[in-house]
Amino acid sequence: MQKDRISELPEPIKQHILFFMCPEDAARTTVLSKTWQQTWNSLRRLSFAFGFVDLGCTKTLEIHQTEKVFVQKLKLLPLPREAKSLAISNLMGCRLVESFFDENAKFTRLKELTLVKVVQDGNAIQELLNRCPMLEAFSIDKCLNVYCLKLFNLPNLKMAKINRVRMFYINEAPNLHSLCCRVKMISIICSLRTTYNNSRKLSIRIGYNSFDVMYLPRLNSMFPLLETLDFNDIRRLDEVKISHDRLESLSLSSKFNTITGQIDCNNLVSYKYEGKTIPSLLINCPRLQDVQLKLLTDYPLDTWWFLRLKQYLETFKQPGVFLNLQLQIESSMVEFNPELLSEQSICPLTNFKHLRFLHIESSQNHRDIIDGILWTIHPEMISVKLLSQPDSALIKVKYFVMSDG
Amino acid sequence: MKFCTVKQYFDDENNNNVTNGIATTVIPLPNKHLKIKANNKEMEQYEQELLRNVMPQELTKLILAANYLNFKEALDFFCRTVANAIQNKSVDYVRKFFGLESDFEPGEEEKLCKEFAWSFEGVDED
């Protein structure tokens, strides 16, 4: 019999080989010999991601007290009762069964948990979460019917990304560094004493809720070190008041309303706004450098619209600020009549870096669009997102106008 | 630099890890890689040819060489080959392929098989 060399390979290499196999094949190597069993047992981190495997029964996996734990994409996920050394777990496309979780079993070493396309029976995901006291990073996406998630008592939680969940509660996460969520409702429960001292980044995309009313006024006290705030899809908003000493980057977007309000941030460097209409936000940020506006207009534009745009852009008076505008004009009714504006100053704004047209129809009145825009601003660079039928008429007009000086 | 270990290897005369035969196979790989980088199919063919005549023993040596030379792509490639070779095969087949004997007690092995019954579904017959 030839001497078996492969089994003599150093363990990390054998594990490397196992990683290239699907979990069933890899699991079968345990039966080969004691050395292979040892290799399988000492796989510390497993993440297999593949297609569904239909399984009849889960009771086959009773792995108590072993060091190794594995996680895989099966229809019924068998998780060991006591998973002592699972450190990173990526569950994709599997089903968590609530009754599987023992009262006292905890995943004491689980640091990173990612759930994608996981179907749960009952409240399995919450049960799993309740058993990961040392969790540092949590991410969930595309899991159906997850109504409510509570991230409670996770002192080590640094990063959380929550997508497509209805409600989300979090409290007592003093180490939380970055929170990104896309939920219908968020509730950051905290006593008056709790501050999220380490939160640097907060990225919220919310359907309906009162995040603005509840948290924006207390932003400074609740998240003192916040550096980045993304607040997207604002719907129910009366007035936005954002006042924060350390915020450096702010991004707001709203698909429906016109946002009004005030932003007072001494350290704000970057500001992004995306919406349908020109916002009425007072920006009081002396250090502002980079402003990116994206206006997706689908209503008729007239001369006064251009005037309002100019007036809004003029509010960015800070020295050294550069503006970027992305403009989408869907309506075919654009009118610009400079004579109506003869009383206004005719200086187009020059601190403009980049103007980008996102969507221009050939049926539109290009001349007026260009006139209107150039009356408003003189950008350093204009770019057009090319449509499937490049519109030479538009290009011609622009060239003509540009060459005029 | 992929080949700092190679330089070491040439400097180190008492090297038993990598015999000359293996070195001649592994070392030209990166050049070939570069030449047909864009063309994946050619690479596949080249790889198939290379491995058609290689026995598991040779494969082991290749793996060790790639590991010693710190050559990640080759290592991945050879490991993947081993994985593919035993994919979905029965335990007996794999034992023969590797040339190893079971060192379990009879009861133990059965227990393990039961425990991992889920992984035995759909396995090829020998």
Side-chain angles (χ1 to χ4, degrees):
Chain A
M1 191 98 152
Q2 297 157 320
K3 186 157 181 252
D4 169 32
R5 289 294 207 86
I6 295 196
S7 304
E8 283 178 6
L9 285 170
E11 195 144 285
I13 298 193
K14 287 214 285 271
Q15 291 183 348
H16 201 56
I17 296 181
L18 287 184
F19 271 121
F20 285 109
M21 304 190 218
C22 66
E24 296 89 74
D25 289 336
R28 281 205 308 280
T29 62
T30 25
V31 187
L32 286 178
S33 76
K34 288 209 172 125
T35 17
W36 282 97
Q37 184 184 33
Q38 175 62 35
T39 306
W40 170 258
N41 281 342
S42 62
L43 278 172
R44 305 214 104 223
R45 172 207 148 166
L46 295 180
S47 124
F48 295 115
F50 338 47
F52 275 94
V53 170
D54 196 3
L55 263 214
C57 130
T58 54
K59 299 214 179 107
T60 50
L61 284 176
E62 305 250 40
I63 307 181
H64 313 279
Q65 319 292 335
T66 23
E67 277 302 313
K68 163 264 328 164
V69 168
F70 59 159
V71 173
Q72 57 215 343
K73 229 180 171 194
L74 300 177
K75 199 155 184 210
L76 277 178
L77 177 78
L79 272 180
R81 311 248 158 185
E82 262 295 324
K84 291 228 175 89
S85 71
L86 183 60
I88 298 180
S89 164
N90 279 316
L91 305 183
M92 279 182 60
C94 58
R95 184 186 212 97
L96 284 182
V97 180
E98 180 177 3
S99 52
F100 200 87
F101 293 101
D102 255 345
E103 275 290 313
N104 298 316
K106 289 214 195 264
F107 296 91
T108 44
R109 297 236 195 121
L110 189 59
K111 283 197 192 157
E112 253 184 62
L113 178 62
T114 306
L115 303 173
V116 177
K117 293 193 190 158
V118 172
V119 178
Q120 61 170 353
D121 284 347
N123 258 333
I125 296 184
Q126 186 63 57
E127 294 293 322
L128 173 56
L129 273 179
N130 290 345
R131 287 172 171 71
C132 306
M134 309 299 280
L135 199 61
E136 285 181 18
F138 175 62
S139 169
I140 179 170
D141 194 4
K142 297 187 186 154
C143 301
L144 296 176
N145 297 329
V146 181
Y147 287 101
C148 172
L149 269 192
K150 297 186 192 150
L151 292 180
F152 284 174
N153 300 322
L154 293 170
N156 287 347
L157 190 66
K158 287 196 187 134
M159 195 270 294
K161 252 198 210 166
I162 323 276
N163 273 337
R164 315 260 180 100
V165 166
R166 288 274 167 89
M167 296 197 302
F168 167 62
Y169 295 90
I170 185 170
N171 81 337
E172 300 294 336
N175 271 317
L176 190 63
H177 196 265
S178 149
L179 173 64
C180 301
C181 41
R182 197 184 159 139
V183 299
K184 295 264 188 218
M185 202 192 108
I186 178 177
S187 178
I188 303 181
I189 301 176
C190 58
S191 64
L192 286 171
R193 283 183 307 256
T194 316
T195 50
Y196 288 86
N197 275 325
N198 282 316
S199 267
R200 299 285 150 114
K201 176 172 165 157
L202 204 56
S203 174
I204 318 260
R205 183 178 290 267
I206 312 189
Y208 321 95
N209 83 318
S210 43
F211 179 83
D212 45 306
V213 172
M214 285 167 67
Y215 301 114
L216 280 188
R218 300 194 289 166
L219 207 62
N220 222 345
S221 54
M222 269 178 71
F223 302 95
L225 293 185
L226 195 64
E227 286 170 14
T228 308
L229 174 63
D230 295 331
F231 191 24
N232 295 320
D233 269 354
I234 304 172
R235 283 193 203 194
R236 271 182 30 190
L237 209 48
D238 294 325
E239 208 179 277
V240 176
K241 275 214 182 105
I242 300 182
S243 160
H244 198 280
D245 297 327
R246 291 182 76 133
L247 197 62
E248 285 176 20
S249 161
L250 174 65
S251 163
L252 300 174
S253 86
S254 164
K255 284 198 190 138
F256 302 100
N257 341 2
T258 305
I259 303 187
T260 60
Q262 188 161 336
I263 301 183
D264 285 299
C265 299
N266 287 334
N267 259 325
L268 197 68
V269 168
S270 152
Y271 166 62
K272 261 199 211 163
Y273 171 76
E274 177 177 329
K276 273 193 175 183
T277 56
I278 306 170
S280 314
L281 279 170
L282 265 182
I283 315 259
N284 188 6
C285 308
R287 293 227 187 133
L288 199 55
Q289 279 176 19
D290 176 46
V291 175
Q292 310 231 6
L293 301 172
K294 193 167 173 184
L295 295 178
L296 309 166
T297 65
D298 59 358
Y299 44 84
L301 304 179
D302 59 4
T303 317
W304 307 113
W305 184 87
F306 285 101
L307 176 61
R308 278 203 309 276
L309 180 63
K310 182 152 187 239
Q311 285 169 339
Y312 178 65
L313 296 175
E314 273 171 355
T315 59
F316 294 100
K317 289 207 191 68
Q318 300 86 343
V321 71
F322 282 106
L323 300 161
N324 290 287
L325 173 64
Q326 292 189 63
L327 194 53
Q328 177 168 307
I329 303 180
E330 281 192 24
S331 162
S332 49
M333 302 201 306
V334 179
E335 231 182 67
F336 183 70
N337 188 351
E339 296 186 11
L340 291 173
L341 299 170
S342 53
E343 295 161 7
Q344 311 285 337
S345 77
I346 26 174
C347 277
L349 299 167
T350 46
N351 55 345
F352 229 94
K353 266 223 138 112
H354 187 190
L355 165 67
R356 191 171 149 89
F357 286 105
L358 289 178
H359 178 101
I360 302 276
E361 299 263 330
S362 46
S363 58
Q364 286 169 337
N365 185 349
H366 297 144
R367 181 104 212 186
D368 275 12
I369 294 178
I370 299 293
D371 279 346
I373 281 294
L374 289 180
W375 179 83
T376 317
I377 57 181
H378 263 181
E380 280 175 24
M381 177 163 82
I382 297 185
S383 68
V384 178
K385 195 167 173 189
L386 275 183
L387 310 170
S388 50
Q389 292 150 353
D391 196 326
S392 53
L394 174 62
I395 314 287
K396 256 198 270 180
V397 170
K398 281 214 299 229
Y399 182 71
F400 174 70
V401 170
M402 291 279 104
S403 61
D404 257 0
Chain B
M1 270 304 291
K2 282 189 189 162
F3 283 114
C4 15
T5 329
V6 177
K7 181 173 183 301
Q8 246 181 314
Y9 157 70
F10 282 119
D11 290 342
D12 180 6
E13 286 166 322
N14 289 328
N15 186 4
N16 287 325
N17 288 339
V18 185
T19 65
N20 278 319
I22 299 303
T24 50
T25 319
V26 176
I27 291 179
L29 271 181
N31 287 330
K32 256 291 186 166
H33 267 262
L34 288 173
K35 278 196 206 149
I36 45 183
K37 200 165 59 154
N39 195 341
N40 275 327
K41 245 198 150 188
E42 260 195 60
M43 194 64 215
E44 265 178 43
Q45 282 176 351
Y46 175 74
E47 289 175 357
Q48 296 300 339
E49 252 187 65
L50 194 63
L51 292 171
R52 204 168 298 163
N53 303 319
V54 170
M55 296 297 295
Q57 310 304 316
E58 292 283 303
L59 207 44
T60 317
K61 290 196 201 143
L62 285 170
I63 291 181
L64 285 171
N67 185 42
Y68 178 72
L69 293 173
N70 234 337
F71 188 176
K72 188 172 186 302
E73 277 92 354
L75 181 62
D76 280 351
F77 168 55
F78 295 131
C79 288
R80 215 182 317 132
T81 316
V82 175
N84 286 340
I86 62 175
Q87 192 174 42
N88 224 23
K89 295 283 191 278
S90 74
V91 172
D92 280 335
Y93 179 95
V94 178
R95 285 218 185 103
K96 267 194 229 141
F97 183 77
F98 285 171
L100 73 82
E101 283 183 15
S102 164
D103 54 355
F104 285 120
E105 313 282 317
E108 270 183 28
E109 194 178 320
E110 261 194 48
K111 233 178 78 177
L112 276 178
C113 281
K114 263 213 211 133
E115 213 180 306
F116 288 93
W118 56 272
S119 66
F120 281 88
E121 301 204 358
V123 171
D124 284 351
E125 296 301 324
D126 269 340

